[in-house]
Amino acid sequence: MHSWYVYVVWYIHKNSIKTHLLDIIKINADEGTAKGLYSLFKKRVISNQVKITNIVGYCSDNASVMMDNNESFKTYLLKDNPNIIVNGCICHSAHLVAVAAAEKIPSNVEALLQNLYSYFSRSPKRQCVLEEFQEYLKKSILKILSPSKTRQKLCSKFNT
């Protein structure tokens, strides 16, 4: 299995925002560190004749190698460009918040939701009755989705 480093850039050209896949680079074992990844990035940026100081924003997943406050891609980038705007992945952050919040729900509520899903998902007749009931109440027809947790182990370290 190989690791890949994907560079996607947004830039303004003729008053419109453009998105461009800059590069996909295979990462060797010695390049998987914050310093290694930043070195790859810096070489690619310089080869495109872009100054690091012209970069106005940086967004990445929230992995420690990318966003840690001690040694990360972010800290190397901020050394070269202290004026850059840095954001972690908003979707990843929202997911972590949602998982942490869901873990605060009492287990009996979670069991009730699982049981409701099972009750309706296993019977087309019950699904039809649910749909008719929603129509009777003049509500949008909605399906009951399977309640599930993802990345539970990853998120457990963020619980208070």
Side-chain angles (χ1 to χ4, degrees), residues 92-106 110 148-160:
H92 186 237
S93 297
H95 179 265
L96 293 175
V97 168
V99 169
E103 288 178 355
K104 301 297 181 189
I105 296 173
E110 185 177 352
S148 64
K149 292 183 182 180
T150 57
R151 298 187 189 184
Q152 184 175 0
K153 290 181 183 178
L154 173 68
C155 297
S156 63
K157 70 178 181 179
F158 295 102
N159 291 340
T160 55

Side-chain angles (χ1 to χ4, degrees), residues 15-79:
N15 293 325
S16 66
I17 298 173
K18 304 288 183 180
T19 303
H20 181 74
L21 174 63
L22 186 61
D23 209 348
I24 301 175
I25 299 173
K26 183 178 173 184
I27 301 172
N28 296 320
D30 60 336
E31 296 169 327
T33 64
K35 189 174 188 176
L37 293 172
Y38 187 69
S39 177
L40 288 172
F41 169 78
K42 198 169 180 178
K43 286 177 190 172
R44 186 64 175 120
V45 168
I46 290 169
S47 73
N48 278 292
Q49 300 176 343
V50 174
K51 295 178 184 176
I52 298 286
T53 54
N54 286 347
I55 299 172
V56 295
Y58 166 71
C59 182
S60 174
D61 68 7
N62 297 327
S64 60
V65 73
M66 301 305 287
M67 297 298 282
D68 195 65
N69 289 326
N70 295 320
E71 182 181 355
S72 66
F73 184 98
K74 175 185 83 171
T75 59
Y76 286 108
L77 184 58
L78 284 169
K79 284 178 188 174

